[in-house]
Amino acid sequence: MAIMGLPEEEYFSYGHRACAGCGAATALRLITKAAGRNSILVESTGCIEVVSTPYPETAWKLPWIHGAFENAASIASGIEAALKYSGENTKVIAIGGDGATYDIGFGHLSGAFERGHDFTYICYDNEAYMNTGIQRSGSTPYGAYTTTSPSGKKSIGKEEWKKDLVHILAAHGSPYVANASIGYATDAFKKLKTAIETEGPTFVNLFATCPTGWRSATEKSIEIAKLAVDTGVCPLYEIIDGKHKLGRPKDIDKLKPLEEYLKLQGRYRHLFRPEKNKETIEFMENRVRKNLENLLKYEECGL
Ligand SMILES: Cc1ncc(C[n+]2csc(CCOP(=O)(O)OP(=O)(O)O)c2C)c(N)n1
């Protein structure tokens, strides 16, 4: 199905083997539309690499290279250096899941940003290591069940908060970093395009539903990705040359209740057992509000 208002050309072809309702596959459609023909893509090991290239087939209609799990940013650095030397203006884009980006490839990513390579790194953020069986990552949110952060009598699921990678990369001096969601595709497309067109190391975190890992209904992927934004869990914002610019949600007092987002996902099912979990949900809601208050404050103060 076409995505309204966006270029019709598809560079991530149908026929790939992603699960029904895979948010990362939608993310890849947006990323490749924003990249266009004059680009080279580098991909970490992960679900998208696996489902898009079962030998001898490929879903990629753009030049694409698969590295190891951790080193997409390093490969992109090398390609960018070679292109610069030969005077080409081809765009270089590295793509990884959150395991590759937040955790195991983080050193490579940080190094490439510190060296100032002219490339864009995009994380399709499905909040766990999905390809290997739903293990927790630095991006998995507080309270979520994964196979390595199980919920039980003594556990509420993951007990740590999600790593704030967007700000960590902004602190590297990046001219453009952004947080986006596949639920708001036009906004995500604009952010991806801005990141790709901005000179220097740029980053987009693209929130992407995973029905298999989140135990959610396949047809609810976009609804969940929208609710993440409207409850404040995944605020849409950019940091341009160090200054915050906020999109949705603007009004903290009009946030949708967090429960609406949580109850659509089996990874939070345990939070709805009466003996637990009103407190946990309230705690999460307060953290979400605090985070939004901070973002609004940064914007107001021109930071
Ligand atoms: C150094 C290294 N560690 C672990 C693995 C095994 N491995 C391959 S893919 C993967 C999970 C990828 O998770 P993520 O980056 O979040 O992407 P997703 O599968 O969710 O798309 C793991 C752990 C590996 N290939 N290399």
Side-chain angles (χ1 to χ4, degrees), residues 31 34-42 62-63 76 79-80 83 88-94 118-120 192-200 202:
I31 294 167
R37 277 208 181 282
N38 189 22
S39 56
I40 298 175
L41 310 183
V42 184
L62 296 174
I79 295 172
E80 186 266 345
L83 288 169
E88 307 274 340
N89 72 348
T90 305
K91 302 293 182 193
V92 182
I93 299 157
D118 180 14
F119 82 118
T120 298
L192 291 164
K193 213 155 172 58
T194 307
I196 292 165
E197 282 167 6
T198 301
E199 204 178 323
T202 58

Side-chain angles (χ1 to χ4, degrees), residues 24 44-48 69-70 96-101 104 124 126 128-132 135 137:
S44 299
T45 308
C47 280
I48 284 298
F69 189 27
E70 62 278 10
D98 50 285
T101 308
I104 297 179
Y124 65 86
N126 56 22
Y129 296 71
M130 295 309 183
N131 180 54
T132 39
Q135 293 88 19
S137 78

Side-chain angles (χ1 to χ4, degrees), residues 75-262:
I75 297 171
S77 303
I79 295 172
E80 186 266 345
L83 288 169
K84 198 192 251 169
Y85 183 75
S86 61
E88 307 274 340
N89 72 348
T90 305
K91 302 293 182 193
V92 182
I93 299 157
I95 303 162
D98 50 285
T101 308
Y102 282 64
D103 299 342
I104 297 179
F106 178 69
H108 294 251
L109 176 58
S110 173
F113 270 58
E114 184 270 329
R115 292 190 301 274
H117 288 281
D118 180 14
F119 82 118
T120 298
Y121 192 106
I122 300 158
C123 174
Y124 65 86
D125 182 9
N126 56 22
E127 300 192 318
Y129 296 71
M130 295 309 183
N131 180 54
T132 39
I134 320 169
Q135 293 88 19
R136 90 191 261 300
S137 78
S139 166
T140 305
Y142 184 89
Y145 165 92
T146 68
T147 53
T148 49
S149 61
S151 56
K153 280 202 180 117
K154 295 196 173 159
S155 165
I156 49 103
K158 192 182 171 197
E159 291 175 356
E160 300 76 32
W161 206 253
K162 182 180 175 110
K163 192 192 278 187
D164 186 355
L165 190 61
V166 177
H167 282 92
I168 292 170
L169 289 169
H172 283 65
S174 166
Y176 187 86
V177 297
N179 201 40
S181 165
I182 60 159
Y184 288 95
T186 311
D187 175 83
F189 175 80
K190 279 190 198 145
K191 289 187 164 103
L192 291 164
K193 213 155 172 58
T194 307
I196 292 165
E197 282 167 6
T198 301
E199 204 178 323
T202 58
F203 177 74
V204 179
N205 196 71
L206 185 48
F207 184 87
T209 329
C210 172
T212 308
W214 297 8
R215 313 282 194 238
S216 56
T218 55
E219 72 278 12
K220 298 253 182 213
S221 277
I222 298 298
E223 185 182 333
I224 291 171
K226 274 190 203 294
L227 270 172
V229 175
D230 299 337
T231 53
V233 169
C234 174
L236 305 180
Y237 67 94
E238 301 162 289
I239 308 176
I240 307 164
D241 289 324
K243 291 195 182 358
H244 285 74
K245 192 172 163 206
L246 239 72
R248 286 165 188 265
K250 272 279 186 205
D251 190 344
I252 296 190
D253 296 324
K254 289 191 184 145
L255 290 180
K256 291 202 171 158
L258 185 60
E259 282 195 31
E260 281 188 28
Y261 169 69
L262 302 178

Side-chain angles (χ1 to χ4, degrees), residues 30-81:
L30 296 173
I31 294 167
T32 49
K33 280 174 191 286
R37 277 208 181 282
N38 189 22
S39 56
I40 298 175
L41 310 183
V42 184
E43 176 93 31
S44 299
T45 308
C47 280
I48 284 298
E49 168 262 320
V50 169
V51 303
S52 67
T53 54
Y55 181 81
E57 294 158 13
T58 177
W60 299 92
K61 294 187 182 175
L62 296 174
W64 177 88
I65 181 168
H66 168 227
F69 189 27
E70 62 278 10
N71 62 358
S74 296
I75 297 171
S77 303
I79 295 172
E80 186 266 345

